[in-house]
Amino acid sequence: IQRNYKMAGEVITPGVLWAQRPGLIFVTINVQDTDNPDIKVEKDTLHFKGVGGNDKKTYEVNLKFFNEINPDTVKYAVRPRCIEFALEKKEEGPYWSRLLEDKTKQHWLKVDFNKWKDEDDSDAEEQGGDLEDMMRN
């Protein structure tokens, strides 16, 4: 008989969604009910560690980005079901081919099609105040 025991100090990688615009990267970390998460954002990395979920387990993820972002303008919101980030790309321009520097597919990382806009989509209302609205909703 094979038994799977969870170790008391086990750290779980949360599900992560991402989307982008010409000048922005959106990252959503799916952990419910996180109080006082440890969040650190640098020019090419995002670190998250927090206790959450129904079973109050420890979740942690380290993202090493494909390109650089501007750490001084990072916005994030800790919500009941997730933590949402809006990260300004250091250089506005072509879309990144992927979120992470590493080409290996990560099972916990998926595209957020609700926030995704294709490079050739152009909407006048997308310019300006929509970032504040998006972080509010």
Side-chain angles (χ1 to χ4, degrees):
I1 298 173
Q2 188 176 18
R3 294 189 178 142
N4 292 327
Y5 290 103
K6 299 237 180 216
M7 294 180 56
E10 184 180 14
V11 175
I12 301 163
T13 301
V16 177
L17 297 174
W18 81 288
Q20 66 179 316
R21 303 287 166 83
L24 288 171
I25 297 290
F26 297 108
V27 175
T28 303
I29 298 176
N30 291 310
V31 178
Q32 295 182 11
D33 303 321
T34 308
D35 291 325
N36 302 316
D38 177 18
I39 294 169
K40 187 173 176 186
V41 182
E42 295 177 359
K43 65 181 170 53
D44 59 354
T45 59
L46 186 155
H47 167 80
F48 165 85
K49 185 173 185 178
V51 175
N54 295 336
D55 41 14
K56 292 297 178 194
K57 290 200 164 116
T58 300
Y59 291 84
E60 183 172 21
V61 67
N62 290 295
L63 307 175
K64 181 139 176 65
F65 298 129
F66 178 71
N67 264 328
E68 291 186 6
I69 57 125
N70 184 347
D72 300 328
T73 60
V74 169
K75 293 183 179 163
Y76 69 88
V78 178
R79 305 199 183 286
R81 295 184 166 271
C82 63
I83 297 89
E84 293 182 320
F85 294 84
L87 311 169
E88 275 186 33
K89 294 178 182 177
K90 185 171 182 184
E91 294 177 17
E92 188 168 326
Y95 272 26
W96 296 2
S97 55
R98 59 186 182 275
L99 177 64
L100 303 179
E101 180 182 67
D102 186 2
K103 290 181 180 175
T104 309
K105 181 157 175 49
Q106 305 296 332
H107 68 280
W108 45 265
L109 180 63
K110 296 186 173 35
V111 170
D112 187 347
F113 289 105
N114 292 327
K115 289 184 179 156
W116 192 273
K117 263 190 140 6
D118 286 328
E119 236 174 317
D120 50 8
D121 287 353
S122 61
D123 272 338
E125 78 265 8
E126 287 302 321
Q127 305 303 321
D130 74 314
L131 177 60
E132 295 297 328
D133 292 341
M134 201 168 278
M135 292 307 290
R136 215 176 292 121
N137 295 335

